[in-house]
Amino acid sequence: MMYTYQNKGTCSTRTEVELAPDHTIQSIAVFNGCNGNLKGICALLTGMKAEDAISRMKGTRCGNRATSCPDQIACALEEALAQL
């Protein structure tokens, strides 16, 4: 299942997630933001269970911001799981 999430409060603007029925992340892409860092994060997340990724990234902050790109990825994964 493909899911698109509009990021909030970060330099990155959108996250696209593809989840398998068993909640494994098949692919993930984050648009805008720190290109190299986000490509690395996405490569590390591919093949991981969405729940594990959420528990590792949820609540991560970027400087003074209340959120971060990893936190927004976790939000996208939570919403994608809710759609399965």
Side-chain angles (χ1 to χ4, degrees):
M1 177 206 66
M2 285 296 295
Y3 184 78
T4 300
Y5 177 81
Q6 297 302 315
N7 296 355
K8 300 162 193 74
T10 59
C11 299
S12 61
T13 56
R14 185 175 84 237
T15 301
E16 293 180 357
V17 177
E18 182 179 4
L19 290 181
D22 70 351
H23 301 182
T24 300
I25 300 168
Q26 298 296 300
S27 67
I28 188 163
V30 182
F31 298 87
N32 302 311
C34 301
N35 190 330
N37 288 334
L38 291 170
K39 283 181 181 175
I41 290 170
C42 292
L44 291 169
L45 294 177
T46 301
M48 183 182 287
K49 294 287 188 184
E51 294 86 351
D52 293 335
I54 292 165
S55 71
R56 291 176 186 213
M57 296 187 303
K58 186 75 177 173
T60 302
R61 297 174 54 119
C62 182
N64 295 342
R65 296 178 187 192
T67 190
S68 66
C69 291
D71 183 58
Q72 289 298 291
I73 292 169
C75 292
L77 290 169
E78 287 177 329
E79 287 193 12
L81 285 173
Q83 297 293 315
L84 276 179

